[in-house]
Amino acid sequence: MSSSTEHRTDGRGRTTGSVLSGLAVAVGCVLFLGGFVWGALIYRPYTVPTDSMSPTIAAGARVLAERVNGSEIRRGDIVVFKDDVWGDLPMVKRVVGIGGDKVACCTKQGRLTVNGKPVEEPYLQGSGPASPVGFKAKVPAGQLFLLGDHRNDSLDSRVHLTDGDHGSVPRSAVNARVDARAWPLGSVGVMQRPTSFSALPGGISQPGPVRPITLAVVAGAVLILGGAAYGPLARRGARKRG
């Protein structure tokens, strides 16, 4: 009698364990695949070909850029854009001025100014002035003024100051906004918005859903691996008890 009861209990235990294991794998697959699909719909991967955005983004690094409308872009954003005047390939630069802004450099302290207000730029390469060459420009309505973080090695709006739009590009030229670094592994992380632009009208943008997408993928992988491993471990434990 005792042996029969023990057998039924073990059977229910194995059945419950199998159900939980299968459920964990199923939920894990939903989270894992759903996270990848969600990310593919919102983000696009890009490889930054030059050193113009270092140290923020090194040459050859892979980034994830959120598909956004140009109207959503704010000062401080790093954007992927394509403009016929600048060339045939997508480029990656930082927005420092929007339509109506007066952008100039440099103050006696070597800072960039936007509408006469000095801007702290901790992301710049080196400790020198914000630009090795002085400049000033008024950004036309609907346009963006773009600079690289490596100001000594960046072909940006400063090179196009004599163009009709004073070196700026239209908002419609923007394809995406860089939200995170994906490669190399040592640089992986969400791109922080520079707070120095937050006090200006319009403020700064907010990161996209890269964190919850990453969490969903990681949680899904853990559930899949954990659920798949639970069955063999549970059977081994049952045999030892037997």
Side-chain angles (χ1 to χ4, degrees), residues 25-182:
V25 172
V27 173
C29 286
V30 171
L31 289 173
F32 188 79
L33 296 177
F36 269 109
V37 172
W38 185 13
L41 292 174
I42 295 178
Y43 288 97
R44 300 177 63 183
Y46 289 92
T47 299
V48 179
T50 70
D51 200 41
S52 68
M53 282 302 296
S54 66
T56 308
I57 306 172
R62 296 279 285 179
V63 298
L64 295 178
E66 182 185 6
R67 304 168 195 260
V68 296
N69 188 282
S71 62
E72 301 175 47
I73 299 302
R74 301 289 183 267
R75 301 179 193 88
D77 287 345
I78 298 174
V79 298
V80 180
F81 68 98
K82 184 178 179 182
D83 185 76
D84 292 338
V85 176
W86 291 50
D88 296 331
L89 298 175
M91 304 186 73
V92 179
K93 303 292 180 187
R94 187 184 297 274
V95 177
V96 298
I98 61 176
D101 283 346
K102 294 180 180 179
V103 182
C105 196
C106 299
T107 66
K108 292 181 179 180
Q109 292 75 33
R111 295 180 188 174
L112 177 81
T113 64
V114 178
N115 300 326
K117 298 179 180 179
V119 177
E120 292 285 350
E121 298 185 280
Y123 44 76
L124 293 182
Q125 174 76 286
S127 57
S131 175
V133 179
F135 67 90
K136 60 180 179 179
K138 183 172 182 179
V139 187
Q143 302 281 118
L144 301 170
F145 198 84
L146 304 159
L147 298 177
D149 287 356
H150 193 343
R151 302 284 162 80
N152 291 331
D153 189 24
S154 176
L155 299 178
D156 46 40
S157 287
R158 295 169 297 172
V159 179
H160 299 279
L161 286 174
T162 57
D163 297 345
D165 291 323
H166 306 288
S168 62
V169 301
R171 284 181 176 269
S172 59
V174 173
N175 299 317
R177 176 172 53 211
V178 177
D179 230 12
R181 291 178 292 264

